[in-house]
Amino acid sequence: MSLDLHVDPDKCVGCGMCVADCNTRAIELDGSSRTPRWAENGEARCFRCQHCLAICPTGALSIMGRSADGSAARVRGPEPSELLNLIKCRRSCRSYRREGVDKATLDKLKDMLAWVPTGVNDHRLFFGFIDDVEVMEKFRKDFLARLLELIQRNAPGAERFGRYRERLIHGDDVIFRGAPHMVLACTPADAPCADIDPVIALSYFELYAQSLGLGTLWCGLFLWSIQLMPEFLPRFGMPEGYVPGYAMMFGNTGLNYRRSTQPPPVLLYSMQG
Ligand SMILES: Cc1cc2nc3c(=O)[nH]c(=O)nc-3n(C[C@H](O)[C@H](O)[C@H](O)COP(=O)(O)O)c2cc1C
């Protein structure tokens, strides 16, 4: 596919910022016109990060059919103190209202996912959502029934659920926590950073969702369960060659945390000399 680098000569001021910021040295400044062009083999080296589009001060450059008009303008903010407060006051939510999140909010959350960073700018993430509350209810029922069956007959791997065994037997939904929605973030098994990309994506998802007033819950127990019951994976519509990365529950919550927690300090070290 041609990457279609275009520069509007009337707008380009020849500042060279696009060239300086190009991670793969794919573009260079034309010696006479001082506008950017592909360097030798540059098109093959380009890893499609679009930094050239993002940094151009005059919006002169377009690439891959994307021009400055289609980009979000960078505005100042959020205030660092507000962002820090969101990080400090983000909580794991284990109590949800039954009603689903409205479609406009779901769409906002899904659209945001296109902007999460991926190793080597791979961007082949896939997100399997459960949008519909009834679908979630059926999935939860089927999933918990099968998990319970495996736990009760001590199937290999089920011992991991030791501390939750009694609660599961008594019908306590310790996996989904009654959430009306969930998302399973997946990558192709051969993605350069397959282990970490889904986790980064869900970290962004969590903070954005909580800024929109929703509750979220990382769900390692779901990952353990799906390893025991891979027959449930096809319901998420993962493309061929993809593997599940991590799962997050989310939805409206009645909980209202009034303050941050006070975690122990992290271990830090500053290398000397
Ligand atoms: C990778 C990861 C997996 C987690 N898995 C679960 C889980 O399966 N079930 C659950 O109730 N909480 C899960 N949690 C939430 C943690 O238990 C939670 O972060 C901890 O209780 C502290 O609460 P806080 O997130 O409100 O600070 C997980 C958190 C992380 C980061």
Side-chain angles (χ1 to χ4, degrees), residues 90-92 94 174 177 217-222 246 261:
R90 169 216 63 81
R91 290 277 66 80
S92 291
R94 299 186 182 88
V174 293
R177 308 284 183 166
L217 181 67
W218 289 93
C219 201
L221 286 176
F222 180 84
Y246 226 85
T261 57

Side-chain angles (χ1 to χ4, degrees), residues 126-271:
F126 170 85
F127 300 93
F129 274 86
I130 304 186
D131 293 342
D132 186 284
V133 180
E134 302 306 323
V135 173
M136 184 70 176
E137 208 42 58
K138 173 157 179 13
F139 183 71
R140 181 202 323 276
K141 223 169 122 229
D142 295 351
F143 196 89
L144 290 175
R146 175 75 178 133
L147 182 61
L148 191 57
E149 196 188 314
L150 294 177
I151 286 175
Q152 282 182 320
R153 67 172 159 83
N154 294 320
E159 65 283 353
R160 272 182 134 179
F161 291 86
R163 68 195 288 201
Y164 298 102
R165 184 188 159 92
E166 288 309 310
R167 290 176 69 179
L168 282 163
I169 288 171
H170 288 102
D172 200 350
D173 171 11
V174 293
I175 309 289
F176 303 94
R177 308 284 183 166
H181 304 290
M182 69 170 288
V183 52
L184 181 64
C186 313
T187 39
D190 66 354
C193 298
D195 289 347
I196 194 68
D197 286 346
V199 178
I200 292 173
L202 291 182
S203 299
Y204 280 57
F205 184 90
E206 169 166 64
L207 289 181
Y208 187 41
Q210 296 216 4
S211 80
L212 292 166
L214 302 180
T216 56
L217 181 67
W218 289 93
C219 201
L221 286 176
F222 180 84
L223 265 293
W224 286 2
S225 314
I226 206 86
Q227 283 160 15
L228 288 183
M229 314 187 296
E231 66 271 22
F232 285 93
L233 273 178
R235 296 203 204 181
F236 286 93
M238 262 191 327
E240 182 84 25
Y242 277 65
V243 288
Y246 226 85
M248 188 164 278
M249 308 297 144
F250 67 99
N252 291 303
T253 173
L255 297 176
N256 181 12
Y257 293 101
R258 306 302 175 107
R259 61 195 62 81
S260 75
T261 57
Q262 299 177 38
V266 289
L267 297 176
L268 299 169
Y269 174 73
S270 301
M271 194 191 289

Side-chain angles (χ1 to χ4, degrees), residues 55-89:
I55 204 162
C56 177
T58 59
L61 187 148
S62 65
I63 190 162
M64 296 157 52
R66 274 91 160 165
S67 69
D69 297 341
S71 291
R74 172 85 166 92
V75 291
R76 256 202 68 74
E79 281 302 317
S81 59
E82 287 179 359
L83 183 56
L84 182 61
N85 186 261
L86 177 64
I87 292 168
K88 285 184 176 177
C89 294

Side-chain angles (χ1 to χ4, degrees), residues 100-115 127 129-132 181 183 205 208-209 212 214 250:
V101 171
D102 64 275
K103 184 174 176 319
T105 304
L106 278 177
D107 286 346
K108 278 186 190 172
L109 285 164
K110 291 178 181 179
D111 290 348
M112 176 280 296
L113 289 167
W115 276 271
F127 300 93
F129 274 86
I130 304 186
D131 293 342
D132 186 284
H181 304 290
V183 52
F205 184 90
Y208 187 41
L212 292 166
L214 302 180
F250 67 99

